[in-house]
Amino acid sequence: MARRRSIIFRAPESGIIEDNARVIADLLQAQAPELVLLSNSTRGRLLAGKLGAYLDTCVISGISELNEETTRRMVYGGAAFRTQKLTAKTAVVTCSAGIFEVSDGQASPDAAVETMSAADTRIRKVETQAKEGVSSNIAMAKKVVDMGRGFKEEKDVEMCRELASLLGAELGCSRPVAENNGWLPKSVYIGVTGIILKPELIIALCVSGQVQHMVGINQAKKIVAINKDERAPIFNSCDLGLVGDIYQILPLLIEKLK
Amino acid sequence: MDIIACIKVVPEEQDIVTLPNNELSFDKVQWKIGQYDLNAMEAGKQLAKKTGGKMKVLTIGGDALSKTKIRKDILSRGADELNIVVTDKKLSDSLITAKAIAEALKEMGSFDLLLFGTGSSDIYSQQTGNQVGALLDLPVLNEVNAIEECEAGLKVERMLENEVEILELPVPAVLSVTSEINTPTIPGMRDIMAAGKKPVNELSADISSISEYSEVVSDLAPVQRDRQQKIVKGEPEEMVEALIQFLNS
Ligand SMILES: Cc1cc2nc3c(=O)[nH]c(=O)nc-3n(C[C@H](O)[C@H](O)[C@H](O)COP(=O)(O)OP(=O)(O)OC[C@H]3O[C@@H](n4cnc5c(N)ncnc54)[C@H](O)[C@@H]3O)c2cc1C
């Protein structure tokens, strides 16, 4: 096995770490690895894109599977999984947290550690602000209440939260509820670009059932859907579907559960 | 500020049909502007207006771009001019697309800012903007959530997972914007009428020799789990009763 070597790059005080891409690319070029793995975070993706361009190779981002020669990732908003073969010498791949199981004993204490910093300095960091951190256990939850865009007002979040707490469930939502309405944090929206769940039960409220959302809930053991539109596609992929107005059903359900 | 928004015309997801062998059929698809590219065009339109500049749109793709309807749709969203490269080359890899864009830009003259959406709504690699920036050796950022002009050039807000970065960078620059940066306006009758009079340039960029770096082996629909599909209609009381029974079973 090749000698393990760790190099730590530091961003200069007023810069960003991604601006080290050129130096990192030069190092990689010299080593000619078959695979460069990065996290599918905002920084990871920018770094991956720059490395791919500098090394003249493809970047495959947000993979869900990595094999000897191929990767798999979702395309067309979850309508399909794409299997892709990497024909370039060095493949750059980004993957999200939770794709691989972490095993012990990978850390290598005898690795040589060097520190480098040679950033492109055109981008200047003025400041960073903390985002209001909302912690949620939704990824691990056994039961999930899934709030869709059909709700009228922000205060309806409380109804959903109450149902969730009565069921011992976590509250998640569809993308528009988090991104367009800003009613719940982005970290709890479910779907192809959000989180993908595998709970025992999901209760989808006012969710129409578009494929980008469904890929996030389809692996649930049981799906219950409440929607007033009987033609909503979610009724084709649920175990129990209630066709009716959420504002009549939900208060009654909460009352009964109490 | 002179802005070029780079956008992709994509198949309408709802028209994609899953065949019995789990392959996808695109035979009946309508083509539309990628959902997140609407945010890029809106951001470009607003910034051009604020800074007294212009916004051009660049798009590269297949036959779908030959249709007047889609061209008008793009032009009705605030672009002053539309630039198109029609190609039968499969742009299945973000680096091919990035190289094609870099080639097309040579024909379009100078700019201060290139804007991209966070990802194309079909392949969603979220890489094209990053790679164009690297190829052109310009300052490049992704997940930009606010843009304003400042003395240094541009001041932007960038969304990371747990924090927001405030950054300054000189122009020309390349930015990919989030889907939260704005709410794209729906074009009115007047915008649609005006769109017909705006210039459309078909560029001659030769991108035929750009090589591929990966090979698509298959696109297959995920296998669906069987569901009970028990549907209940009627009085709220009955439905709630059915639900409680279901939860207890
Ligand atoms: C590339 C891409 C990625 C995407 N990624 C994601 C993703 O990861 N996650 C995601 O969620 N979306 C994603 N989307 C968006 C997705 O396409 C849908 O727009 C979204 O999931 C729809 O959310 P929804 O079902 O909550 O809302 P809608 O589709 O608007 O549905 C609302 C439903 O509420 C019902 N309703 C309204 N009022 C009531 C009432 N009083 N009682 C009962 N029912 C009512 C309506 O009948 C309707 O069916 C993505 C889109 C693209 C293009």
Side-chain angles (χ1 to χ4, degrees):
Chain A
M1 190 190 276
R3 190 171 72 97
R4 290 193 175 123
R5 184 170 166 221
S6 303
I7 302 175
I8 297 169
F9 286 90
R10 291 192 207 286
E13 194 84 24
S14 62
I16 58 171
I17 197 79
E18 297 91 306
D19 279 341
N20 284 296
R22 183 69 80 174
V23 204
I24 299 174
D26 288 345
L27 275 169
L28 291 171
Q29 193 100 51
Q31 308 255 328
E34 281 168 50
L35 182 66
V36 179
L37 263 174
L38 293 127
S39 113
N40 194 42
S41 59
T42 300
R43 286 199 196 290
R45 286 194 305 271
L46 178 54
L47 194 52
K50 293 176 106 178
L51 293 179
Y54 295 152
L55 297 172
D56 197 32
T57 189
C58 68
V59 177
I60 308 211
S61 57
I63 58 150
S64 55
E65 237 182 270
L66 177 65
N67 297 313
E68 194 72 20
E69 277 195 329
T70 58
T71 56
R72 251 159 68 93
R73 66 185 296 274
M74 268 187 225
V75 290
Y76 302 112
F81 275 103
R82 167 166 293 184
T83 304
Q84 212 162 339
K85 198 164 167 179
L86 310 163
T87 51
K89 208 158 92 198
T90 299
V92 179
V93 166
T94 76
C95 66
S96 311
I99 299 296
F100 299 110
E101 276 179 36
V102 182
S103 59
D104 298 331
Q106 294 294 309
S108 157
D110 56 343
V113 177
E114 300 162 44
T115 308
M116 285 200 184
S117 169
D120 173 352
T121 54
R122 289 174 292 184
I123 296 175
R124 199 176 73 80
K125 176 150 51 181
V126 180
E127 60 175 313
T128 48
Q129 299 164 353
K131 265 205 257 185
E132 74 283 17
V134 187
S135 65
S136 158
N137 293 322
I138 187 166
M140 300 298 182
K142 288 246 185 303
K143 295 179 185 172
V144 172
V145 171
D146 176 8
M147 181 179 188
R149 176 160 51 183
F151 285 92
K152 293 197 186 82
E153 308 176 76
E154 181 164 9
K155 75 171 178 26
D156 297 334
V157 172
E158 285 322 309
M159 267 203 295
C160 298
R161 218 183 274 291
E162 192 172 9
L163 175 66
S165 90
L166 286 169
L167 293 170
E170 290 285 333
L171 180 61
C173 63
S174 66
R175 180 165 174 159
V177 171
E179 290 207 338
N180 304 54
N181 301 350
W183 292 350
L184 286 169
K186 251 180 94 172
S187 55
V188 302
Y189 88 73
I190 305 162
V192 61
T193 49
I195 36 177
I196 293 183
L197 301 173
K198 259 187 182 169
E200 305 275 319
L201 172 74
I202 284 187
I203 303 193
L205 312 173
C206 301
V207 166
S208 62
Q210 298 215 35
V211 60
Q212 294 93 347
H213 185 75
M214 294 310 287
V215 296
I217 73 172
N218 260 336
Q219 295 179 59
K221 265 231 182 80
K222 284 183 180 153
I223 300 178
V224 174
I226 306 180
N227 194 309
K228 68 177 179 189
D229 174 10
E230 65 178 305
R231 287 161 314 169
I234 193 158
F235 287 128
N236 300 325
S237 37
C238 68
D239 295 284
L240 176 69
L242 308 183
V243 183
D245 188 341
I246 201 71
Y247 292 102
Q248 292 181 355
I249 299 174
L250 198 50
L252 199 60
L253 176 62
I254 289 172
E255 193 183 300
K256 282 264 164 71
L257 287 173
K258 277 181 178 164
Chain B
M1 193 163 277
D2 286 323
I3 299 162
I4 299 177
C6 300
I7 69 160
K8 184 175 183 185
V9 169
V10 300
E12 167 66 64
E13 297 88 13
Q14 288 169 22
D15 301 339
I16 302 175
V17 175
T18 305
L19 302 173
N21 64 0
N22 278 347
E23 284 179 10
L24 303 184
S25 164
F26 292 84
D27 291 351
K28 298 219 168 66
V29 296
Q30 299 277 330
W31 293 79
K32 63 169 189 184
I33 303 168
Q35 182 173 323
Y36 306 120
D37 296 338
L38 297 175
N39 297 101
M41 283 197 283
E42 181 71 27
K45 178 173 96 178
Q46 288 179 12
L47 195 64
K49 195 168 163 208
K50 226 188 220 160
T51 58
K54 281 205 163 23
M55 175 176 70
K56 298 176 184 173
V57 168
L58 168 62
T59 184
I60 303 181
D63 250 355
L65 297 179
S66 306
K67 301 236 163 62
T68 320
K69 186 161 164 269
I70 192 84
R71 294 180 173 198
K72 268 199 175 166
D73 190 12
I74 297 169
L75 283 165
S76 67
R77 292 166 195 270
D80 293 294
E81 169 188 317
L82 174 59
N83 296 268
I84 295 186
V85 179
V86 181
T87 173
D88 48 17
K89 195 174 181 75
K90 277 241 179 316
L91 300 170
S92 57
D93 178 317
S94 56
L95 189 56
I96 302 176
T97 311
K99 286 184 174 179
I101 289 172
E103 199 56 41
L105 286 171
K106 289 185 193 159
E107 277 174 72
M108 288 182 63
S110 66
F111 58 84
D112 299 306
L113 178 59
L114 284 185
L115 283 178
F116 290 79
T118 184
S120 64
S121 26
D122 53 353
I123 307 302
Y124 204 69
S125 285
Q126 301 180 277
Q127 285 300 346
T128 307
N130 301 343
Q131 299 196 308
V132 169
L135 291 174
L136 299 180
D137 194 27
L138 295 177
V140 51
L141 288 170
N142 56 349
E143 298 296 315
V144 169
N145 205 39
I147 312 172
E148 60 181 80
E149 214 180 11
C150 73
E151 212 170 306
L154 292 168
K155 185 170 176 182
V156 307
E157 221 179 272
R158 181 183 187 219
M159 302 300 266
L160 301 177
E161 282 65 23
N162 298 315
E163 53 187 20
V164 182
E165 276 185 331
I166 314 292
L167 304 159
E168 284 185 356
L169 65 166
V171 292
V174 182
L175 303 177
S176 300
V177 299
T178 62
S179 57
E180 294 148 276
I181 188 170
N182 53 42
T183 307
T185 32
I186 295 162
M189 206 51 213
R190 192 182 299 189
D191 305 313
I192 296 167
M193 299 297 286
K197 303 195 187 77
K198 292 178 178 175
V200 177
N201 309 318
E202 292 200 23
L203 306 180
S204 57
D206 179 17
I207 57 174
S208 56
S209 61
I210 303 172
S211 55
E212 319 241 334
Y213 307 88
S214 70
E215 191 186 304
V216 175
V217 179
S218 62
D219 284 338
L220 294 176
V223 183
Q224 295 297 330
R225 205 183 248 266
D226 279 335
R227 296 283 172 197
Q228 296 169 35
Q229 287 187 42
K230 185 171 176 240
I231 307 297
V232 185
K233 295 181 217 176
E235 291 306 311
E237 286 78 11
E238 293 167 41
M239 288 192 276
V240 168
E241 207 44 59
L243 175 51
I244 288 177
Q245 249 180 37
F246 180 87
L247 294 178
N248 291 333
S249 68

mmCIF file with all atom_site columns, all heavy atoms in Angstrom, chain A residues 2-13:
data_model
loop_
_atom_site.group_PDB
_atom_site.id
_atom_site.type_symbol
_atom_site.label_atom_id
_atom_site.label_alt_id
_atom_site.label_comp_id
_atom_site.label_asym_id
_atom_site.label_entity_id
_atom_site.label_seq_id
_atom_site.pdbx_PDB_ins_code
_atom_site.Cartn_x
_atom_site.Cartn_y
_atom_site.Cartn_z
_atom_site.occupancy
_atom_site.B_iso_or_equiv
_atom_site.pdbx_formal_charge
_atom_site.auth_seq_id
_atom_site.auth_comp_id
_atom_site.auth_asym_id
_atom_site.auth_atom_id
_atom_site.pdbx_PDB_model_num
ATOM 1   N N   . ALA A 1 2  ? 0.421   2.222  -0.724 1.00 0.00 ? 2  ALA A N   1
ATOM 2   C CA  . ALA A 1 2  ? 1.189   3.468  -0.802 1.00 0.00 ? 2  ALA A CA  1
ATOM 3   C C   . ALA A 1 2  ? 1.275   4.113  0.583  1.00 0.00 ? 2  ALA A C   1
ATOM 4   O O   . ALA A 1 2  ? 0.385   3.925  1.404  1.00 0.00 ? 2  ALA A O   1
ATOM 5   C CB  . ALA A 1 2  ? 0.519   4.425  -1.774 1.00 0.00 ? 2  ALA A CB  1
ATOM 6   N N   . ARG A 1 3  ? 2.293   4.849  0.790  1.00 0.00 ? 3  ARG A N   1
ATOM 7   C CA  . ARG A 1 3  ? 2.479   5.510  2.074  1.00 0.00 ? 3  ARG A CA  1
ATOM 8   C C   . ARG A 1 3  ? 1.346   6.510  2.287  1.00 0.00 ? 3  ARG A C   1
ATOM 9   O O   . ARG A 1 3  ? 0.978   7.265  1.390  1.00 0.00 ? 3  ARG A O   1
ATOM 10  C CB  . ARG A 1 3  ? 3.819   6.254  2.067  1.00 0.00 ? 3  ARG A CB  1
ATOM 11  C CG  . ARG A 1 3  ? 4.237   6.768  3.419  1.00 0.00 ? 3  ARG A CG  1
ATOM 12  C CD  . ARG A 1 3  ? 5.658   7.292  3.342  1.00 0.00 ? 3  ARG A CD  1
ATOM 13  N NE  . ARG A 1 3  ? 5.729   8.540  2.608  1.00 0.00 ? 3  ARG A NE  1
ATOM 14  C CZ  . ARG A 1 3  ? 5.734   9.737  3.200  1.00 0.00 ? 3  ARG A CZ  1
ATOM 15  N NH1 . ARG A 1 3  ? 5.680   9.824  4.503  1.00 0.00 ? 3  ARG A NH1 1
ATOM 16  N NH2 . ARG A 1 3  ? 5.801   10.837 2.491  1.00 0.00 ? 3  ARG A NH2 1
ATOM 17  N N   . ARG A 1 4  ? 0.771   6.467  3.467  1.00 0.00 ? 4  ARG A N   1
ATOM 18  C CA  . ARG A 1 4  ? -0.293  7.426  3.758  1.00 0.00 ? 4  ARG A CA  1
ATOM 19  C C   . ARG A 1 4  ? 0.315   8.778  4.034  1.00 0.00 ? 4  ARG A C   1
ATOM 20  O O   . ARG A 1 4  ? 1.323   8.899  4.698  1.00 0.00 ? 4  ARG A O   1
ATOM 21  C CB  . ARG A 1 4  ? -1.094  6.969  4.963  1.00 0.00 ? 4  ARG A CB  1
ATOM 22  C CG  . ARG A 1 4  ? -1.907  5.756  4.647  1.00 0.00 ? 4  ARG A CG  1
ATOM 23  C CD  . ARG A 1 4  ? -2.895  5.558  5.748  1.00 0.00 ? 4  ARG A CD  1
ATOM 24  N NE  . ARG A 1 4  ? -3.758  4.446  5.391  1.00 0.00 ? 4  ARG A NE  1
ATOM 25  C CZ  . ARG A 1 4  ? -3.912  3.377  6.151  1.00 0.00 ? 4  ARG A CZ  1
ATOM 26  N NH1 . ARG A 1 4  ? -3.255  3.281  7.274  1.00 0.00 ? 4  ARG A NH1 1
ATOM 27  N NH2 . ARG A 1 4  ? -4.730  2.424  5.800  1.00 0.00 ? 4  ARG A NH2 1
ATOM 28  N N   . ARG A 1 5  ? -0.358  9.776  3.527  1.00 0.00 ? 5  ARG A N   1
ATOM 29  C CA  . ARG A 1 5  ? 0.173   11.109 3.678  1.00 0.00 ? 5  ARG A CA  1
ATOM 30  C C   . ARG A 1 5  ? -1.009  12.045 3.893  1.00 0.00 ? 5  ARG A C   1
ATOM 31  O O   . ARG A 1 5  ? -2.000  11.964 3.176  1.00 0.00 ? 5  ARG A O   1
ATOM 32  C CB  . ARG A 1 5  ? 0.893   11.452 2.374  1.00 0.00 ? 5  ARG A CB  1
ATOM 33  C CG  . ARG A 1 5  ? 1.597   12.761 2.376  1.00 0.00 ? 5  ARG A CG  1
ATOM 34  C CD  . ARG A 1 5  ? 2.468   12.822 1.116  1.00 0.00 ? 5  ARG A CD  1
ATOM 35  N NE  . ARG A 1 5  ? 2.912   14.165 0.890  1.00 0.00 ? 5  ARG A NE  1
ATOM 36  C CZ  . ARG A 1 5  ? 2.967   14.733 -0.313 1.00 0.00 ? 5  ARG A CZ  1
ATOM 37  N NH1 . ARG A 1 5  ? 2.621   14.069 -1.384 1.00 0.00 ? 5  ARG A NH1 1
ATOM 38  N NH2 . ARG A 1 5  ? 3.395   15.966 -0.434 1.00 0.00 ? 5  ARG A NH2 1
ATOM 39  N N   . SER A 1 6  ? -0.925  12.868 4.892  1.00 0.00 ? 6  SER A N   1
ATOM 40  C CA  . SER A 1 6  ? -1.998  13.833 5.094  1.00 0.00 ? 6  SER A CA  1
ATOM 41  C C   . SER A 1 6  ? -1.457  15.218 4.838  1.00 0.00 ? 6  SER A C   1
ATOM 42  O O   . SER A 1 6  ? -0.391  15.566 5.335  1.00 0.00 ? 6  SER A O   1
ATOM 43  C CB  . SER A 1 6  ? -2.498  13.800 6.538  1.00 0.00 ? 6  SER A CB  1
ATOM 44  O OG  . SER A 1 6  ? -2.917  12.511 6.849  1.00 0.00 ? 6  SER A OG  1
ATOM 45  N N   . ILE A 1 7  ? -2.194  15.971 4.077  1.00 0.00 ? 7  ILE A N   1
ATOM 46  C CA  . ILE A 1 7  ? -1.817  17.361 3.888  1.00 0.00 ? 7  ILE A CA  1
ATOM 47  C C   . ILE A 1 7  ? -3.003  18.198 4.317  1.00 0.00 ? 7  ILE A C   1
ATOM 48  O O   . ILE A 1 7  ? -4.132  17.934 3.922  1.00 0.00 ? 7  ILE A O   1
ATOM 49  C CB  . ILE A 1 7  ? -1.472  17.659 2.421  1.00 0.00 ? 7  ILE A CB  1
ATOM 50  C CG1 . ILE A 1 7  ? -0.340  16.731 1.982  1.00 0.00 ? 7  ILE A CG1 1
ATOM 51  C CG2 . ILE A 1 7  ? -1.081  19.119 2.238  1.00 0.00 ? 7  ILE A CG2 1
ATOM 52  C CD1 . ILE A 1 7  ? 0.003   16.843 0.534  1.00 0.00 ? 7  ILE A CD1 1
ATOM 53  N N   . ILE A 1 8  ? -2.737  19.151 5.150  1.00 0.00 ? 8  ILE A N   1
ATOM 54  C CA  . ILE A 1 8  ? -3.834  19.982 5.630  1.00 0.00 ? 8  ILE A CA  1
ATOM 55  C C   . ILE A 1 8  ? -3.757  21.323 4.930  1.00 0.00 ? 8  ILE A C   1
ATOM 56  O O   . ILE A 1 8  ? -2.715  21.978 4.933  1.00 0.00 ? 8  ILE A O   1
ATOM 57  C CB  . ILE A 1 8  ? -3.740  20.163 7.154  1.00 0.00 ? 8  ILE A CB  1
ATOM 58  C CG1 . ILE A 1 8  ? -3.899  18.796 7.826  1.00 0.00 ? 8  ILE A CG1 1
ATOM 59  C CG2 . ILE A 1 8  ? -4.778  21.154 7.653  1.00 0.00 ? 8  ILE A CG2 1
ATOM 60  C CD1 . ILE A 1 8  ? -3.568  18.781 9.292  1.00 0.00 ? 8  ILE A CD1 1
ATOM 61  N N   . PHE A 1 9  ? -4.844  21.711 4.300  1.00 0.00 ? 9  PHE A N   1
ATOM 62  C CA  . PHE A 1 9  ? -4.882  23.024 3.677  1.00 0.00 ? 9  PHE A CA  1
ATOM 63  C C   . PHE A 1 9  ? -5.633  23.973 4.579  1.00 0.00 ? 9  PHE A C   1
ATOM 64  O O   . PHE A 1 9  ? -6.666  23.618 5.126  1.00 0.00 ? 9  PHE A O   1
ATOM 65  C CB  . PHE A 1 9  ? -5.587  22.953 2.324  1.00 0.00 ? 9  PHE A CB  1
ATOM 66  C CG  . PHE A 1 9  ? -4.750  22.301 1.272  1.00 0.00 ? 9  PHE A CG  1
ATOM 67  C CD1 . PHE A 1 9  ? -4.807  20.931 1.073  1.00 0.00 ? 9  PHE A CD1 1
ATOM 68  C CD2 . PHE A 1 9  ? -3.884  23.054 0.509  1.00 0.00 ? 9  PHE A CD2 1
ATOM 69  C CE1 . PHE A 1 9  ? -4.013  20.324 0.124  1.00 0.00 ? 9  PHE A CE1 1
ATOM 70  C CE2 . PHE A 1 9  ? -3.080  22.451 -0.442 1.00 0.00 ? 9  PHE A CE2 1
ATOM 71  C CZ  . PHE A 1 9  ? -3.143  21.087 -0.642 1.00 0.00 ? 9  PHE A CZ  1
ATOM 72  N N   . ARG A 1 10 ? -5.106  25.138 4.717  1.00 0.00 ? 10 ARG A N   1
ATOM 73  C CA  . ARG A 1 10 ? -5.815  26.125 5.520  1.00 0.00 ? 10 ARG A CA  1
ATOM 74  C C   . ARG A 1 10 ? -6.207  27.300 4.639  1.00 0.00 ? 10 ARG A C   1
ATOM 75  O O   . ARG A 1 10 ? -5.423  27.722 3.794  1.00 0.00 ? 10 ARG A O   1
ATOM 76  C CB  . ARG A 1 10 ? -4.920  26.651 6.638  1.00 0.00 ? 10 ARG A CB  1
ATOM 77  C CG  . ARG A 1 10 ? -4.630  25.615 7.681  1.00 0.00 ? 10 ARG A CG  1
ATOM 78  C CD  . ARG A 1 10 ? -3.988  26.257 8.888  1.00 0.00 ? 10 ARG A CD  1
ATOM 79  N NE  . ARG A 1 10 ? -3.146  25.304 9.596  1.00 0.00 ? 10 ARG A NE  1
ATOM 80  C CZ  . ARG A 1 10 ? -3.630  24.328 10.346 1.00 0.00 ? 10 ARG A CZ  1
ATOM 81  N NH1 . ARG A 1 10 ? -4.921  24.180 10.503 1.00 0.00 ? 10 ARG A NH1 1
ATOM 82  N NH2 . ARG A 1 10 ? -2.810  23.496 10.953 1.00 0.00 ? 10 ARG A NH2 1
ATOM 83  N N   . ALA A 1 11 ? -7.409  27.781 4.862  1.00 0.00 ? 11 ALA A N   1
ATOM 84  C CA  . ALA A 1 11 ? -7.805  28.984 4.140  1.00 0.00 ? 11 ALA A CA  1
ATOM 85  C C   . ALA A 1 11 ? -7.136  30.155 4.818  1.00 0.00 ? 11 ALA A C   1
ATOM 86  O O   . ALA A 1 11 ? -7.041  30.187 6.038  1.00 0.00 ? 11 ALA A O   1
ATOM 87  C CB  . ALA A 1 11 ? -9.321  29.149 4.204  1.00 0.00 ? 11 ALA A CB  1
ATOM 88  N N   . PRO A 1 12 ? -6.647  31.110 4.055  1.00 0.00 ? 12 PRO A N   1
ATOM 89  C CA  . PRO A 1 12 ? -6.127  32.314 4.706  1.00 0.00 ? 12 PRO A CA  1
ATOM 90  C C   . PRO A 1 12 ? -7.278  33.023 5.423  1.00 0.00 ? 12 PRO A C   1
ATOM 91  O O   . PRO A 1 12 ? -8.437  32.821 5.058  1.00 0.00 ? 12 PRO A O   1
ATOM 92  C CB  . PRO A 1 12 ? -5.612  33.147 3.541  1.00 0.00 ? 12 PRO A CB  1
ATOM 93  C CG  . PRO A 1 12 ? -6.298  32.616 2.325  1.00 0.00 ? 12 PRO A CG  1
ATOM 94  C CD  . PRO A 1 12 ? -6.608  31.182 2.610  1.00 0.00 ? 12 PRO A CD  1
ATOM 95  N N   . GLU A 1 13 ? -6.934  33.758 6.439  1.00 0.00 ? 13 GLU A N   1
ATOM 96  C CA  . GLU A 1 13 ? -7.920  34.466 7.268  1.00 0.00 ? 13 GLU A CA  1
ATOM 97  C C   . GLU A 1 13 ? -9.081  35.044 6.438  1.00 0.00 ? 13 GLU A C   1
ATOM 98  O O   . GLU A 1 13 ? -10.234 34.881 6.767  1.00 0.00 ? 13 GLU A O   1
ATOM 99  C CB  . GLU A 1 13 ? -7.189  35.617 7.977  1.00 0.00 ? 13 GLU A CB  1
ATOM 100 C CG  . GLU A 1 13 ? -7.954  36.250 9.101  1.00 0.00 ? 13 GLU A CG  1
ATOM 101 C CD  . GLU A 1 13 ? -7.784  35.462 10.403 1.00 0.00 ? 13 GLU A CD  1
ATOM 102 O OE1 . GLU A 1 13 ? -6.775  34.744 10.563 1.00 0.00 ? 13 GLU A OE1 1
ATOM 103 O OE2 . GLU A 1 13 ? -8.684  35.589 11.235 1.00 0.00 ? 13 GLU A OE2 1
#
